[in-house]
Amino acid sequence: MTTLLEDLGGEPAVRAAVEDFYGRLLRDESLMGFFRGVDMGKLKEHQHTFLSTAFAGIPPDFDAAKIIETKHSHLFARGLNETHFDMVAAHFAATLRDLQVKPDLIDKAIGVLAPLRPIFERGAIAAAA
């Protein structure tokens, strides 16, 4: 049985998706402000590592919620919330579609990421308190 990472085309496919994906995010007026002053090369590398890990099978000791809460705390303070998560997820799905990924694999990829949505909801609520 192969992993989702392998089914998607492995590391090169994820790297290509990350490149296209961030191009989309940086062109989206509702999202671009969150990337001002960010080292995009470093961010893309982090995203590549995260997606590769997620699509290969998240290790039991990997606390995605804690990492996301910590790395995004300053963004939650600037208004990042679950609506933004939804926009980002839509851009990711569109990226995969444009890269000719099969619809069932897109559904699986989004299925891996969708459980992270509540983290953005909680982060926004905590930042507003």
PDB file of all heavy atoms in Angstrom, residues 85-95 97 110:
ATOM      1  N   PHE A  85      -8.570  29.986   6.678  1.00  0.00           N
ATOM      2  CA  PHE A  85      -8.209  28.589   6.469  1.00  0.00           C
ATOM      3  C   PHE A  85      -8.982  28.030   5.272  1.00  0.00           C
ATOM      4  O   PHE A  85      -8.416  27.343   4.420  1.00  0.00           O
ATOM      5  CB  PHE A  85      -8.505  27.756   7.726  1.00  0.00           C
ATOM      6  CG  PHE A  85      -8.226  26.294   7.537  1.00  0.00           C
ATOM      7  CD1 PHE A  85      -6.975  25.772   7.827  1.00  0.00           C
ATOM      8  CD2 PHE A  85      -9.207  25.435   7.056  1.00  0.00           C
ATOM      9  CE1 PHE A  85      -6.707  24.418   7.633  1.00  0.00           C
ATOM     10  CE2 PHE A  85      -8.947  24.089   6.861  1.00  0.00           C
ATOM     11  CZ  PHE A  85      -7.699  23.577   7.145  1.00  0.00           C
ATOM     12  N   ASP A  86     -10.278  28.327   5.216  1.00  0.00           N
ATOM     13  CA  ASP A  86     -11.107  27.839   4.111  1.00  0.00           C
ATOM     14  C   ASP A  86     -10.609  28.363   2.766  1.00  0.00           C
ATOM     15  O   ASP A  86     -10.576  27.627   1.781  1.00  0.00           O
ATOM     16  CB  ASP A  86     -12.571  28.238   4.317  1.00  0.00           C
ATOM     17  CG  ASP A  86     -13.200  27.584   5.534  1.00  0.00           C
ATOM     18  OD1 ASP A  86     -12.670  26.563   6.036  1.00  0.00           O
ATOM     19  OD2 ASP A  86     -14.244  28.109   5.993  1.00  0.00           O
ATOM     20  N   MET A  87     -10.218  29.632   2.733  1.00  0.00           N
ATOM     21  CA  MET A  87      -9.701  30.214   1.490  1.00  0.00           C
ATOM     22  C   MET A  87      -8.391  29.540   1.085  1.00  0.00           C
ATOM     23  O   MET A  87      -8.182  29.229  -0.097  1.00  0.00           O
ATOM     24  CB  MET A  87      -9.488  31.720   1.646  1.00  0.00           C
ATOM     25  CG  MET A  87     -10.784  32.508   1.715  1.00  0.00           C
ATOM     26  SD  MET A  87     -10.485  34.291   1.674  1.00  0.00           S
ATOM     27  CE  MET A  87     -10.302  34.628   3.399  1.00  0.00           C
ATOM     28  N   VAL A  88      -7.530  29.310   2.059  1.00  0.00           N
ATOM     29  CA  VAL A  88      -6.242  28.659   1.793  1.00  0.00           C
ATOM     30  C   VAL A  88      -6.474  27.232   1.288  1.00  0.00           C
ATOM     31  O   VAL A  88      -5.851  26.798   0.312  1.00  0.00           O
ATOM     32  CB  VAL A  88      -5.354  28.691   3.051  1.00  0.00           C
ATOM     33  CG1 VAL A  88      -4.143  27.790   2.902  1.00  0.00           C
ATOM     34  CG2 VAL A  88      -4.910  30.128   3.353  1.00  0.00           C
ATOM     35  N   ALA A  89      -7.390  26.523   1.925  1.00  0.00           N
ATOM     36  CA  ALA A  89      -7.699  25.152   1.495  1.00  0.00           C
ATOM     37  C   ALA A  89      -8.248  25.142   0.065  1.00  0.00           C
ATOM     38  O   ALA A  89      -7.898  24.263  -0.730  1.00  0.00           O
ATOM     39  CB  ALA A  89      -8.694  24.511   2.461  1.00  0.00           C
ATOM     40  N   ALA A  90      -9.076  26.118  -0.262  1.00  0.00           N
ATOM     41  CA  ALA A  90      -9.612  26.203  -1.630  1.00  0.00           C
ATOM     42  C   ALA A  90      -8.492  26.458  -2.634  1.00  0.00           C
ATOM     43  O   ALA A  90      -8.485  25.865  -3.724  1.00  0.00           O
ATOM     44  CB  ALA A  90     -10.680  27.296  -1.717  1.00  0.00           C
ATOM     45  N   HIS A  91      -7.548  27.305  -2.276  1.00  0.00           N
ATOM     46  CA  HIS A  91      -6.400  27.549  -3.158  1.00  0.00           C
ATOM     47  C   HIS A  91      -5.558  26.287  -3.321  1.00  0.00           C
ATOM     48  O   HIS A  91      -5.055  26.005  -4.407  1.00  0.00           O
ATOM     49  CB  HIS A  91      -5.523  28.681  -2.627  1.00  0.00           C
ATOM     50  CG  HIS A  91      -6.051  30.044  -2.906  1.00  0.00           C
ATOM     51  ND1 HIS A  91      -6.266  30.522  -4.173  1.00  0.00           N
ATOM     52  CD2 HIS A  91      -6.410  31.048  -2.062  1.00  0.00           C
ATOM     53  CE1 HIS A  91      -6.728  31.754  -4.113  1.00  0.00           C
ATOM     54  NE2 HIS A  91      -6.832  32.095  -2.836  1.00  0.00           N
ATOM     55  N   PHE A  92      -5.416  25.531  -2.234  1.00  0.00           N
ATOM     56  CA  PHE A  92      -4.631  24.306  -2.328  1.00  0.00           C
ATOM     57  C   PHE A  92      -5.320  23.299  -3.248  1.00  0.00           C
ATOM     58  O   PHE A  92      -4.676  22.671  -4.095  1.00  0.00           O
ATOM     59  CB  PHE A  92      -4.371  23.705  -0.945  1.00  0.00           C
ATOM     60  CG  PHE A  92      -3.393  22.580  -0.972  1.00  0.00           C
ATOM     61  CD1 PHE A  92      -2.060  22.814  -1.278  1.00  0.00           C
ATOM     62  CD2 PHE A  92      -3.786  21.284  -0.722  1.00  0.00           C
ATOM     63  CE1 PHE A  92      -1.136  21.781  -1.333  1.00  0.00           C
ATOM     64  CE2 PHE A  92      -2.879  20.242  -0.764  1.00  0.00           C
ATOM     65  CZ  PHE A  92      -1.552  20.489  -1.071  1.00  0.00           C
ATOM     66  N   ALA A  93      -6.618  23.157  -3.094  1.00  0.00           N
ATOM     67  CA  ALA A  93      -7.366  22.246  -3.965  1.00  0.00           C
ATOM     68  C   ALA A  93      -7.262  22.687  -5.427  1.00  0.00           C
ATOM     69  O   ALA A  93      -7.059  21.856  -6.324  1.00  0.00           O
ATOM     70  CB  ALA A  93      -8.825  22.171  -3.524  1.00  0.00           C
ATOM     71  N   ALA A  94      -7.367  23.980  -5.677  1.00  0.00           N
ATOM     72  CA  ALA A  94      -7.247  24.500  -7.045  1.00  0.00           C
ATOM     73  C   ALA A  94      -5.849  24.243  -7.605  1.00  0.00           C
ATOM     74  O   ALA A  94      -5.697  23.912  -8.789  1.00  0.00           O
ATOM     75  CB  ALA A  94      -7.570  25.991  -7.074  1.00  0.00           C
ATOM     76  N   THR A  95      -4.847  24.393  -6.761  1.00  0.00           N
ATOM     77  CA  THR A  95      -3.475  24.098  -7.181  1.00  0.00           C
ATOM     78  C   THR A  95      -3.364  22.649  -7.638  1.00  0.00           C
ATOM     79  O   THR A  95      -2.823  22.374  -8.717  1.00  0.00           O
ATOM     80  CB  THR A  95      -2.497  24.351  -6.014  1.00  0.00           C
ATOM     81  OG1 THR A  95      -2.471  25.748  -5.728  1.00  0.00           O
ATOM     82  CG2 THR A  95      -1.093  23.874  -6.339  1.00  0.00           C
ATOM     83  N   ARG A  97      -5.744  20.643  -8.620  1.00  0.00           N
ATOM     84  CA  ARG A  97      -6.518  20.454  -9.863  1.00  0.00           C
ATOM     85  C   ARG A  97      -5.719  20.920 -11.071  1.00  0.00           C
ATOM     86  O   ARG A  97      -5.645  20.225 -12.084  1.00  0.00           O
ATOM     87  CB  ARG A  97      -7.844  21.217  -9.800  1.00  0.00           C
ATOM     88  CG  ARG A  97      -8.967  20.467  -9.146  1.00  0.00           C
ATOM     89  CD  ARG A  97     -10.310  21.119  -9.362  1.00  0.00           C
ATOM     90  NE  ARG A  97     -10.371  22.501  -8.914  1.00  0.00           N
ATOM     91  CZ  ARG A  97     -10.595  22.892  -7.667  1.00  0.00           C
ATOM     92  NH1 ARG A  97     -10.789  22.009  -6.712  1.00  0.00           N
ATOM     93  NH2 ARG A  97     -10.638  24.169  -7.356  1.00  0.00           N
ATOM     94  N   ILE A 110      -7.133  17.030   0.909  1.00  0.00           N
ATOM     95  CA  ILE A 110      -7.923  17.986   1.689  1.00  0.00           C
ATOM     96  C   ILE A 110      -8.424  17.317   2.963  1.00  0.00           C
ATOM     97  O   ILE A 110      -8.487  17.942   4.026  1.00  0.00           O
ATOM     98  CB  ILE A 110      -9.076  18.555   0.842  1.00  0.00           C
ATOM     99  CG1 ILE A 110      -8.518  19.352  -0.346  1.00  0.00           C
ATOM    100  CG2 ILE A 110     -10.003  19.421   1.695  1.00  0.00           C
ATOM    101  CD1 ILE A 110      -7.617  20.524   0.005  1.00  0.00           C
TER     102      ILE A 110
END
